[in-house]
Amino acid sequence: MSKKSSHVSATPATDWLRAQGIPFTEHPYEYVEHGGTAESSRQLGVDEHAVVKTLVMQDEDAKPLVVLMHGDRQVSLKELARQIPCKKVEPCKPEVAQRHSGYQVGGTSPFGLRKAMPVYVQASVLALPRICINGGRRGFLVGIDPRVLTDALGAKAVGCASPQ
């Protein structure tokens, strides 16, 4: 456990990271409703491009999937559908996303999900030296090596980013 005074209590995400032996740093911040990655990156003093958002989506059969995207980019749903491949991808409604992930929207982490879901990561995220990603609660990011996403989580790299 971290000995920092800003230690945040364990979440399913941090429990999963610890169980896998993955080192991470804790980055709590003041959660702002609808502030998104712009707000967290501002408060933490990190580039929004290195803050990765966790998005719960679904395909045309309502099967859930997770997309990990740069904070300053959007997901091209058409391009994602082409690459994974399926006919259509759309965001889940917040209550559906929460039911699938086990996390409150705004605090969704790809680690320690309630349900096993395929995870896709924007390929350019993997080129960053370090990323901040949700640690399983609103107002809490963890800093990790992006290779954790493919090596430990099994995320598949895709190219589906579009400007915000």
Side-chain angles (χ1 to χ4, degrees), residues 20-76:
Q20 305 298 315
I22 297 167
F24 64 93
T25 54
E26 297 181 344
H27 304 276
Y29 66 95
E30 188 71 35
Y31 179 77
V32 175
E33 193 75 34
H34 304 296
T37 56
E39 184 61 31
S40 59
S41 65
R42 183 190 66 74
Q43 286 189 40
L44 296 172
V46 297
D47 183 356
E48 188 179 8
H49 197 67
V51 176
V52 176
K53 52 191 172 187
T54 305
L55 306 164
V56 181
M57 308 234 171
Q58 63 187 17
D59 67 13
E60 68 274 6
D61 297 321
K63 290 186 182 143
L65 57 110
V66 172
V67 180
L68 306 175
M69 181 56 68
H70 296 284
D72 60 352
R73 298 285 186 273
Q74 289 183 338
V75 175
S76 166

Side-chain angles (χ1 to χ4, degrees), residues 78-124:
K78 282 184 179 179
E79 188 55 36
L80 178 62
R82 260 195 292 276
Q83 289 187 36
I84 66 175
C86 68
K87 290 179 184 166
K88 179 176 107 173
V89 176
E90 64 186 4
C92 286
K93 291 187 165 110
E95 62 277 6
V96 174
Q98 187 168 326
R99 193 169 59 242
H100 289 313
S101 69
Y103 292 110
Q104 185 176 25
V105 172
T108 305
S109 177
F111 312 116
L113 293 166
R114 175 180 288 158
K115 245 185 209 181
M117 295 182 256
V119 179
Y120 300 95
V121 59
Q122 170 61 35
S124 51

